[in-house]
Amino acid sequence: MWRFSGNQLKRWRTKANVSREELAAASNYSPDTIKAMEQGVRMPTPRVLDVADELCGAEGILSAAKDYLSREKFPPRAQEFMEREREAVSRWSYDATYIPGLLQTQAYTRTLIENRYPPLEQETVEERITGRMERQAILTERKPPVALSFVVYEAALRSPLVDAGQLRRLLEVSRLRNVALQVLPFERAVPAALLGPMVLLETRDHERFAYGEGQLGSQLSADPDVVSRTTERLSMIRAEALSPAESARFIERMVDQR
C-alpha cells in the first residue's frame, strides 16, 4: 500500500504538472521526503495526501488512501524477524551495545528511538515505541511459556543511557521461570563477543533461524551453516558469561552504586 499510494501520488502530481518542490513547500516537507514517499520508501502522510489531492485536483481520490495506510511498528528490515519471533518456542540472544529490546524500559526505548539518525517523524517514533513494548508480551503472556536466554555484555550495562530503573527492570525479568539472563564481564570477553549482536530462534515446527543486525543492514537466515556458526558463537559467549545467579548479583551491585 505504501508503494501503490506513492505511485498514485506521483502520477497525479505529474498529470497536474505540479513539481515535487511545489508539493513539498505546500505540505511543509522536503523534496527528498516527497520523493521517498513516491518511491514507497516512506509512508505517504495524511497531510501530504490531502495537500496533493487539492493541488492536483484528485477530487478525494488521494485523500481516500489515508484509510488504507497503516504505519509500520517496526523498520522494514526487521519485520520478517518480528514475524518469526511471534512463532518462537525458544529464543537465545547476545547483545554487545544495547539492552535487548525485550528487556527495555519505555524510557530507555524512547531515548534510543528519538535519537535515531536520520530523525524519525514523531508519529513513527510513537509507533516504534508501542511496537517494542508490545513485543515484551513474549516474556509472560505466551502459553506454553517461551524459553528465553539473554547474554548482555558489560559495556551495554555501563552505558550512560542505562539508569537504575533499567537495571531494576533486568533484575525483575531475570526472576521469571522461563528467562535466563547472563552478564558477560569485560574481563571474560572473547573475540566472538566483539562481532556484534545475534539471535537464535526456534519455531513450533522446529525451524531454526539466525538473525544479526548492524548499522548498515540485517539478515535473517535459515541456512544451516549460518545457524550452526551462530550457535557456536553464542554457545562460546554463554560459557564465558557469569551464571544467572552471579549475573543478578553483578547487576544488584551496579544498582547500589547508582
Side-chain angles (χ1 to χ4, degrees), residues 73-252:
K73 295 181 179 179
F74 306 108
R77 66 181 185 176
Q79 288 173 17
E80 186 177 2
F81 168 72
M82 299 306 172
E83 290 293 328
R84 299 302 182 188
E85 186 179 72
R86 283 191 282 269
E87 303 169 358
V89 295
S90 71
R91 183 190 188 280
W92 296 5
S93 70
Y94 167 70
D95 287 88
T97 309
Y98 300 110
I99 303 299
L102 295 179
L103 308 182
Q104 293 175 7
T105 62
Q106 185 166 327
Y108 181 90
T109 295
R110 179 173 294 279
T111 297
L112 293 182
I113 295 177
E114 285 188 336
N115 288 279
R116 178 187 180 278
Y117 290 93
L120 298 170
E121 294 179 12
Q122 192 59 40
E123 297 95 330
T124 302
V125 168
E126 299 303 327
E127 288 292 339
R128 296 277 172 87
I129 293 171
T130 298
R132 190 165 300 179
M133 294 298 102
E134 289 176 349
R135 281 178 61 210
Q136 295 183 5
I138 194 175
L139 295 170
T140 58
E141 297 181 15
R142 290 271 295 278
K143 295 181 180 180
V146 180
L148 299 165
S149 173
F150 302 92
V151 182
V152 183
Y153 190 35
E154 183 177 348
L157 301 178
R158 298 290 181 187
S159 167
L161 302 179
V162 176
D163 59 14
Q166 177 62 77
L167 293 174
R168 293 191 186 97
R169 172 61 176 166
L170 295 179
L171 291 172
E172 175 187 341
V173 174
S174 71
R175 299 187 189 104
L176 297 174
R177 291 187 302 106
N178 60 313
V179 174
L181 173 61
Q182 295 175 261
V183 174
L184 179 68
F186 289 132
E187 63 269 18
R188 295 196 183 187
V190 293
L194 306 178
L195 297 178
M198 54 189 156
V199 181
L200 284 171
L201 297 173
E202 183 174 356
T203 69
R204 295 184 183 90
D205 297 325
H206 304 295
E207 294 179 294
R208 302 183 71 205
F209 296 88
Y211 179 74
E213 188 169 17
Q215 291 189 11
L216 300 179
S218 60
Q219 181 184 28
L220 178 70
S221 177
D223 184 298
D225 289 337
V226 175
V227 172
S228 178
R229 290 198 303 270
T230 304
T231 301
E232 291 177 4
R233 283 179 55 204
L234 186 50
S235 296
M236 183 182 301
I237 292 171
R238 292 179 72 194
E240 294 296 328
L242 300 176
S243 70
E246 292 171 327
S247 298
R249 290 193 290 271
F250 186 97
I251 297 172
E252 287 169 352

